[in-house]
Amino acid sequence: MSYSTMLGGTRWTFADLKTLLGKASPARSGDALAGVAAESAIERVAAQTALADLPLKTFLNVALIPYEQDEVSRLIHDSHDGRAFAAISHLTVGAFREWLLDERTTAPDLTRLAPGLMPEMVAAVSKIMRAQDLIVVAAKCRVTSAFRNTIGLAGRLSTRLQPNHPTDDSRGIAASLLEGLLFGVGDAVIGVNPATDSLDDYVRIVALLDDIRRRLDIPTQTCCLGHVTIALQAISAGAPVDLVFQSIAGSEKANRGFGIDLSVLAEAHDAALSLRRGTVGQNVMYFETGQGSALSADAHFGVDQQTMEARAYAVARRFSPLLVNTVVGFIGPEYLYNGKEIMRAGLEDHFCGKLLGLPMGCDICYTNHAEADQDDMDALLTLLSAAGVTFVIAVPGADDVMLNYQSLAFHDVLYIRETLGRRTAPEFETWLQGIGVVDAAGRALQKSPTAAIAPAIALIDSMAG
């Protein structure tokens, strides 16, 4: 079925729904690489006009990737909640945008609606929204999750402490970890990307992280971001696994490229739940995504990269995760060319994830060959914080020495806490107050709580030699 509209005296026609979505997307290098982008600004506006007039019900009847060929498509359609969708089922994409922006539409309204939204619906409406629209609506969404602390409460911004090391050296990981804690970072998770994907390395890292967490009695969760199959082996071996991590994408073929399918994720979810290591909740999964992942695997089926990204959130939603984040600028300039494209993608991803009911965070980052710099990351951090982002990621000095990309530094987190008043998870804040890192209002103190972290320093000293 084709879609058309009149604009400037010209009739514009788009061959099918995936063509319409691709042409309506704000400009980005990945869509141009895939050959699905609008060829001019006029064509983009025409596509956005046609998309705004499209009934939301259209997405119930048109699968961008055939239902019979793709388990993600089957998940999306089979899990759709028609009763939740009924409240907006009469709307077009454009009218849906107006409904979302209406001040009478509240956080509880959005929470009730989330199961009735398909990823393609939220991707579509994001394409006709300005940056401020994406921020306003996302800020109204309230999504919480919990393990050893509570993530996503109003006025809170959690952080992932990422103490990566190029050789997975235990002392290096531990030293970076302690530095982050002294900045009040780490309530979302203390998570290490391992340099190798061996079982022995995975078990050593989770044991190290758990040892420090227990010695300091930190109310947070830890994670080694190895492959889900390695996590399953580690759980079987009795390793102290809090969260199971996996990168995911928006098609079955792309997920096969990651070495996973929905059944493997379900097995890992059940295995992590069986450990019952959470204290205030049992959300045990951690997922990462990123625009361009399906395209880079030649598994996008002609669908634009932002819509494919939103489809990945259906996979995440299936497993009630503690954390989901887009690694927004990590894949490179072939997919998001410069700071402007990275900022737009970060706001889109956060908006779509939150609207679908996910505890959505962002690794605010870029590669060194992208046309971006740390000023762009400062701007995106500020915009996402205004939008109520659930968590962000911070590394020592903003430079990940293992993955070789640029992210946020620990002091960037202090900036946003001071300027926008965003506090850590309440259980983690109480702990920080107890060791003298923050005051009663959650503001950073200048003194160093050496005595409080002495057990962890002793552990690092014992690793010498």
Side-chain angles (χ1 to χ4, degrees):
M1 177 180 177
S2 64
Y3 305 90
S4 64
T5 189
M6 290 292 297
L7 183 69
T10 300
R11 178 163 292 280
W12 298 82
T13 300
F14 306 94
D16 52 30
L17 185 55
K18 69 173 66 174
T19 300
L20 177 63
L21 290 167
K23 300 289 188 180
S25 288
R28 67 207 60 205
S29 55
D31 288 341
L33 176 66
V36 303
E39 295 183 6
S40 66
I42 295 174
E43 185 181 27
R44 181 173 299 111
V45 172
Q48 291 170 340
T49 302
L51 183 60
D53 291 335
L54 186 74
L56 284 174
K57 287 182 178 178
T58 304
F59 295 99
L60 300 177
N61 304 313
V62 180
L64 299 182
I65 303 175
Y67 180 94
E68 299 77 14
Q69 300 175 19
D70 185 83
E71 68 173 1
V72 177
S73 291
R74 293 194 291 275
L75 171 66
I76 290 169
H77 285 267
D78 293 348
S79 63
H80 180 253
D81 187 333
R83 288 178 298 180
F85 178 64
I88 61 163
S89 62
H90 59 292
L91 299 179
T92 62
V93 173
F96 182 38
R97 171 186 175 273
E98 297 304 313
W99 183 87
L100 290 170
L101 290 169
D102 194 318
E103 62 184 14
R104 293 169 295 182
T105 300
T106 64
D109 294 329
L110 298 177
T111 298
R112 286 190 294 269
L113 176 64
L117 291 175
M118 301 171 74
E120 294 86 350
M121 295 175 184
V122 300
V125 75
S126 75
K127 296 176 191 299
I128 61 170
M129 299 178 85
R130 295 171 57 183
Q132 66 177 252
D133 299 338
L134 298 172
I135 292 169
V136 166
V137 176
K140 289 199 284 189
C141 295
R142 185 61 53 215
V143 182
T144 59
S145 58
F147 192 76
R148 289 197 188 92
N149 57 40
T150 309
I151 307 293
L153 295 172
R156 306 278 176 170
L157 170 65
S158 292
T159 52
R160 171 182 159 193
L161 170 50
Q162 185 168 295
N164 291 347
H165 191 277
T167 63
D168 289 341
D169 178 76
S170 292
R171 296 192 79 213
I173 290 171
S176 294
L177 191 164
L178 288 187
E179 181 188 6
L181 290 176
L182 294 177
F183 279 89
V185 172
D187 55 330
V189 64
I190 301 172
V192 172
N193 296 93
T196 71
D197 218 4
S198 72
L199 177 61
D200 288 346
D201 206 26
Y202 185 105
V203 171
R204 176 176 59 82
I205 290 171
V206 294
L208 169 66
L209 299 179
D210 192 60
D211 193 359
I212 295 175
R213 181 192 65 78
R214 288 186 294 104
R215 287 177 185 240
L216 298 182
D217 196 25
I218 312 170
T220 191
Q221 36 283 330
T222 63
C223 184
C224 179
L225 281 72
H227 194 268
V228 64
T229 56
I230 302 299
L232 278 166
Q233 294 177 49
I235 290 172
S236 296
V241 176
D242 285 348
L243 305 182
V244 172
F245 168 84
Q246 184 56 48
S247 295
I248 57 174
S251 72
E252 179 180 347
K253 182 180 178 182
N255 283 326
R256 283 204 306 267
F258 285 134
I260 61 166
D261 57 25
L262 296 179
S263 64
V264 170
L265 295 178
E267 180 183 359
H269 180 243
D270 292 345
L273 279 177
S274 71
L275 301 179
R276 301 199 63 81
R277 291 176 58 84
T279 55
V280 298
Q282 293 295 330
N283 298 113
V284 296
M285 301 299 284
Y286 177 16
F287 296 116
E288 282 191 340
T289 66
Q291 286 194 30
S293 59
L295 174 57
S296 68
D298 191 24
H300 64 296
F301 298 89
V303 180
D304 69 274
Q305 67 182 35
Q306 190 261 332
T307 300
M308 289 302 297
E309 170 74 2
R311 284 171 56 93
Y313 303 155
V315 177
R317 185 167 63 172
R318 161 67 178 80
F319 300 102
S320 302
L322 179 76
L323 305 167
V324 182
N325 70 261
T326 170
V327 191
V328 65
F330 181 73
I331 302 181
E334 301 84 357
Y335 306 96
L336 296 170
Y337 179 71
N338 56 22
K340 181 178 177 64
E341 292 187 6
I342 291 171
M343 279 189 275
R344 173 73 196 191
L347 292 173
E348 290 170 346
D349 295 351
H350 177 251
F351 164 87
C352 290
K354 290 289 280 294
L355 203 54
L356 288 166
L358 291 175
M360 196 71 195
C362 185
D363 188 354
I364 298 169
C365 62
Y366 63 101
T367 58
N368 287 308
H369 61 311
E371 290 294 321
D373 58 28
Q374 215 63 35
D375 283 347
D376 297 317
M377 301 305 103
D378 286 350
L380 182 53
L381 171 61
T382 306
L383 293 171
L384 282 172
S385 297
V389 68
T390 302
F391 73 104
V392 296
I393 294 174
V395 303
D399 184 4
D400 190 303
V401 295
M402 195 280 282
L403 293 173
N404 292 311
Y405 77 115
Q406 307 304 308
S407 186
L408 297 179
F410 301 143
H411 69 264
D412 296 327
V413 176
L414 293 186
Y415 146 70
I416 212 68
R417 297 208 189 286
E418 288 294 324
T419 55
L420 295 184
R422 298 294 189 264
R423 300 168 72 158
T424 66
E427 301 90 345
F428 191 78
E429 181 177 88
T430 298
W431 178 78
L432 290 175
Q433 290 167 350
I435 68 169
V437 171
V438 301
D439 63 18
R443 294 186 296 265
L445 297 171
Q446 298 301 313
K447 64 180 182 178
S448 176
T450 306
I453 63 171
I457 293 175
L459 174 62
I460 296 175
D461 288 341
S462 72
M463 298 176 188

